[in-house]
Amino acid sequence: MNENKAALIRSLKENSIEFLENEPLRSYSSIKAGGIADLIIFPRNEKELAVVASLFNSRSIKFFVTGKGTNTLFKGERTRTPIVSFRKGFKELKELGGRPITGGDSAVELKVGSGVLLSQVLNYAIKNTLGGCEFFYGIPGSFGGAISMNAGSKESTIGSIIKGIRILTQNGEELDIDRKDIEFSYRKLRIKNMKLKFFITSSTIRLYRTQRKEIFDKIKIFKERKSSQPLGEYSLGCIFRNPPGIPAGKIIDEIGLKGLFRGGARISNKHANFIVNPGMASSSDIMELIRIIQERSMLEKGIRLRTEIKIV
């Protein structure tokens, strides 16, 4: 990237696209750890994003996209790959209209920008008595990241309420993708026949009119479940995928690692599938705990634990 950096920065300036150089990454990851980023770019809309995509494509520059960074660990002392952050744009949240459905309720479609937080969508739904996204409770992060990871709970995932998404390809082409052409799986999204890299810029979700009491009754279920998680501490959420038939947190607890410290990082005493940062952890501390957990799980249980966070 170094040989391209000067030309890239010059083009960003010419197009009035905001960026930062040599930026500490602690503020871009929910676990508050990370080194220094060479370059972070903040497109505010699809026009600016198209310029950024064109710049990357013409110079064959690899890149990484982040929203709120709630499942991203920046492991190195310095991240050379340019980072595209959606935190300063793509904030649209609006109702597109509704149509009658069975039972006298009404389906309602919302357009949600990828920079909108899940908590903002849930608050909008509560205010406007819209059901269907109660499982957003306690899930941090922005909408674009949640879609790409198919975030959710055992009851429902974001893929179940998606009607379509709008993307911008690495070639700068804007496309509307219908739900039938999107394949969601565990913490993953794939667009059929799509060979190019792409950015998700917005989504259309389908909710339904309901009673506020029904919404709060459902939220209560998720609220009680989240009480077993260290929500008030810096973390990345669940570190490992659940193997078939057994939660990863139960495995880590059974091999006696709950509460283990390495440097400034700790395996949570509240939920063993969380690694928390009390304030002074480095990325290497967190990576060391991940390594210990994986080795001990394999040695004592014969189970290979796979991370579900992004490690950059």
Side-chain angles (χ1 to χ4, degrees), residues 176-303:
D176 290 309
I177 309 296
D178 192 78
R179 177 64 180 86
K180 64 180 174 58
D181 295 316
I182 306 170
E183 295 179 348
F184 287 100
S185 55
Y186 184 80
R187 302 297 179 259
K188 191 175 181 181
L189 168 152
R190 190 181 80 86
I191 298 175
K192 295 177 183 177
N193 302 316
M194 176 57 64
K195 305 298 183 184
L196 301 173
K197 290 184 178 181
F198 59 88
F199 303 86
I200 300 172
T201 58
S202 66
S203 308
T204 302
I205 62 173
R206 181 169 291 170
L207 305 179
Y208 58 89
R209 298 285 182 200
T210 187
Q211 300 297 314
R212 189 167 280 113
K213 182 182 182 301
E214 181 181 331
I215 296 172
F216 282 120
D217 285 346
K218 290 181 179 179
I219 288 175
K220 184 179 179 181
I221 297 171
F222 298 104
K223 189 173 184 179
E224 289 173 351
R225 187 179 301 161
K226 295 291 182 181
S227 67
S228 66
Q229 300 176 1
L231 296 183
E233 300 182 80
Y234 298 138
S235 79
L236 293 169
C238 288
I239 296 292
F240 298 101
R241 299 184 180 198
N242 290 325
I246 183 169
K250 182 176 175 60
I251 295 170
I252 300 165
D253 197 3
E254 288 180 351
I255 60 180
L257 294 181
K258 184 181 279 190
L260 179 68
F261 265 97
R262 277 300 179 270
R266 184 183 77 241
I267 299 173
S268 172
N269 285 306
K270 201 167 188 180
H271 192 305
N273 200 12
F274 283 67
I275 293 175
V276 298
N277 176 9
M280 298 299 292
S282 67
S283 295
S284 58
D285 296 336
I286 298 162
M287 289 296 298
E288 177 65 6
L289 283 178
I290 291 173
R291 183 192 66 79
I292 291 171
I293 292 169
Q294 289 177 320
E295 286 187 358
R296 288 279 297 275
S297 174
M298 196 65 190
L299 180 66
E300 299 185 29
K301 296 284 190 178
I303 298 174

Side-chain angles (χ1 to χ4, degrees), residues 30-81:
S30 60
I31 203 165
K32 303 300 180 186
I36 302 295
D38 265 11
L39 181 65
I40 302 182
I41 305 169
F42 303 95
R44 289 162 292 192
N45 50 51
E46 290 182 344
K47 181 180 178 181
E48 291 188 355
L49 184 60
V51 172
V52 173
S54 176
L55 293 172
F56 288 159
N57 196 46
S58 64
R59 294 170 172 80
S60 299
I61 298 174
K62 295 181 179 180
F63 58 88
F64 179 76
V65 182
T66 184
K68 198 166 171 57
T70 52
N71 71 331
T72 303
L73 177 64
F74 298 102
K75 67 177 181 177
E77 292 185 5
R78 179 170 284 275
T79 299
R80 303 290 184 183
T81 302

